[in-house]
Amino acid sequence: MTHTPDQTKDTRPNTRKVHIKTYGCQMNVYDSERMMESLTGLGFEVSAEAEGADLVILNTCHIREKASDKVYSELGRLREAQTRKAETGGRMMLAVAGCVAQAEGDEILNRAPQVDLVFGPQTYHRLPEMLAKAEREAGAQQVETDFPAEDKFDHLPQDRAVDGVTAFLTIQEGCDKFCTFCVVPYTRGSEQSRPVAAILNEARNLTAKGVREVTLLGQNVNAYHGIGPDGREWGLGRLVRALADIDGLARIRYTTSHPRDMDDDLIRAHAEVPALMPYLHLPVQSGSDRILAAMNRKHTADDFRRIVDKLRDGRPDLALSSDFITGFPGETDQDFADTLKLVREVGFAASFSFKYSARPGTPASGMVDAVPDAVKSDRLQALQQLLDAQQEAFNLSCIGKRLPILIEKPGRHPGQMVGRSPYLQPVHVDGSADLVGHVHEADIESLQSYSLFGTLVSNRDSTERACA
Ligand code: SAH
Ligand code: SF4
Ligand code: F3S
């Protein structure tokens, strides 16, 4: 394993504490973990709370207005914690990372002058240098929002700290799709795929440490086109097959996909690779072709239906989840009715739905014909009612079935363990801690809110099977 000089262990006796607060998507969760590994390599100790920490990093999300507003209210609260720290003779450095940092840069320093560092998602590997400078020169604020030519993943620690039997693994970053409502192409930059060898190494490293399930991450994960060991570009289907060959890796998932990039090889992988779990998050946003065109989604509602049909032809038990936006500019009652129609026809096992939020700099923010907030809310409520009913129906349909469960951790009650079904549902079973990390079959007996309850039927690792 190679280390850059920045990541060499710091042996200074005085341990400093770092607290990272993460907002937004799984990609931010993954990035926060990588930053934490690089900071513990520098001698920092992880602190569960901001109070008293020497460094606080907010890893932020810009996707909707509410998400970025949260950052400024948190910065207000942290100002008081900074004062308390200063009263004890210490210094709390404050850093804003992530997508708000990328989108707003200097503006953050204007609104929150107590911030020391602002740095975007592509510059995390430069954190040790930035920190050294901030420590040397108190009051010298730094803003890093480049999209550097070097790959940040090459410079982050390779040896991951593992907590649990499931892990995220970023394989692709950025997006070239430019949906008219979305900030991601601006905050994360253009699509970049990591090489196959780096991903396989990271997956082997994780598996050697007890990880049994990886979720491959990317803003547009199925646009993956990394260089393979053969010098050719590999798609996601091929990568999934190579990962499935790793001993000990029982389950593979990926998120988030775009319907346009659901190619035939990937669809076949769903039919042919048992380790690829039969649960897919495939955002559709709307069921109206007029609105999909205005969103620049580059697919129609029927394209989406056809993709789902093909996927279910090969994997009949495939459960789907999706993202929806209500009240996009110009959305009429008829457009919204088309969304409800699509939802009824396809059937989703889980979903996320949001009121449209105009984001600065995106094409849709300049569109006229805004939908009144009350209408957005009414539509959101109607959609969520339907999606909730579908989720409950799907969960109820699992009662009476025998499902393989990857046991993850102890449950809330003594003697209870919690795991996940292939369809990502939490499943509670009676059992002991030595089951953690194993896949066991359970007979599903009941449902309480979003959790299933069942009884284990085997004590050895089962092979994954479809929901019969
Ligand atoms: N890359 C993914 C998701 C990115 S963001 C994709 O292609 O779909 C996650 C979800 O946030 C999106 O799917 C969308 O439903 C929602 N979203 C993004 N921008 C939004 C906005 N301006 N207003 C409301 N919801 C938004
Ligand atoms: Fe945003 Fe569209 Fe890219 Fe998804 S595909 S990240 S919604 S621009
Ligand atoms: Fe938010 Fe950035 Fe993820 S805007 S959703 S944290 S890519």
Side-chain angles (χ1 to χ4, degrees), residues 162-365:
V162 162
D163 176 24
V165 297
T166 63
F168 290 137
L169 202 177
T170 293
I171 65 165
Q172 179 276 342
E173 263 208 272
C175 181
D176 295 339
K177 295 281 190 297
F178 292 94
C179 300
T180 53
F181 53 81
C182 184
V183 294
V184 170
Y186 313 100
T187 62
R188 294 276 173 169
S190 59
E191 248 173 58
Q192 306 284 341
S193 294
R194 295 177 69 192
V196 171
I199 295 164
L200 294 179
N201 272 344
E202 190 165 333
R204 285 194 201 99
N205 175 296
L206 290 169
T207 327
K209 291 178 173 172
V211 166
R212 303 295 315 277
E213 171 181 305
V214 292
T215 301
L216 309 176
L217 297 183
Q219 268 88 25
N220 213 171
V221 73
N222 57 341
Y224 177 80
H225 56 99
I227 293 293
D230 53 1
R232 289 166 188 248
E233 278 192 358
W234 286 29
L236 183 57
R238 192 158 178 202
L239 179 69
V240 161
R241 288 168 206 270
L243 285 162
D245 284 341
I246 295 179
D247 268 351
L249 188 58
R251 292 181 166 191
I252 301 167
R253 304 179 187 275
Y254 61 90
T255 198
T256 297
S257 304
H258 191 289
R260 281 270 296 197
D261 295 312
M262 220 55 230
D263 67 25
D264 286 344
D265 187 46
L266 184 56
I267 291 175
R268 268 197 309 276
H270 276 278
E272 294 167 6
V273 180
L276 185 57
M277 290 294 98
Y279 177 89
L280 176 62
H281 183 61
L282 193 60
V284 64
Q285 316 297 355
S286 168
S288 152
D289 288 346
R290 224 174 57 78
I291 294 298
L292 288 169
M295 287 176 164
N296 190 32
R297 288 290 291 180
K298 302 188 180 88
H299 62 81
T300 63
D302 276 348
D303 291 336
F304 187 83
R305 290 181 179 93
R306 272 191 292 273
I307 293 163
V308 170
D309 286 348
K310 270 203 216 171
L311 281 159
R312 285 180 171 157
D313 275 352
R315 186 76 212 220
D317 69 321
L318 185 90
L320 283 167
S321 72
S322 198
D323 291 343
F324 300 88
I325 295 177
T326 65
F328 186 81
E331 187 188 67
T332 61
D333 286 343
Q334 182 56 52
D335 293 319
F336 181 61
D338 288 345
T339 299
L340 295 178
K341 181 166 177 275
L342 179 91
V343 171
R344 283 195 199 95
E345 285 168 11
V346 172
F348 294 93
S351 277
F352 303 91
S353 40
F354 314 95
K355 277 201 281 187
Y356 169 70
S357 163
R359 306 306 291 128
T362 58
S365 68

Side-chain angles (χ1 to χ4, degrees), residues 251 253 277-279 315-319 349 391 393-407 417-429 435 438-447 450-468:
R251 292 181 166 191
R253 304 179 187 275
M277 290 294 98
Y279 177 89
R315 186 76 212 220
D317 69 321
L318 185 90
Q391 179 161 11
F394 176 74
N395 285 339
L396 286 170
S397 77
C398 291
I399 296 176
K401 287 179 177 157
R402 182 167 289 184
L403 298 181
I405 312 300
L406 171 59
I407 311 286
M417 303 303 291
V418 190
R420 296 255 175 195
S421 75
Y423 316 105
L424 212 57
Q425 300 142 302
V427 182
H428 299 253
V429 292
L435 299 176
H438 295 272
V439 179
H440 289 285
E441 292 198 321
D443 284 332
I444 305 301
E445 285 146 2
S446 63
L447 171 71
Y450 295 99
S451 290
L452 295 171
F453 288 75
T455 300
L456 291 178
V457 290
S458 74
N459 270 326
R460 68 203 148 71
D461 253 13
S462 78
T463 42
E464 295 282 356
R465 291 198 315 180
C467 182

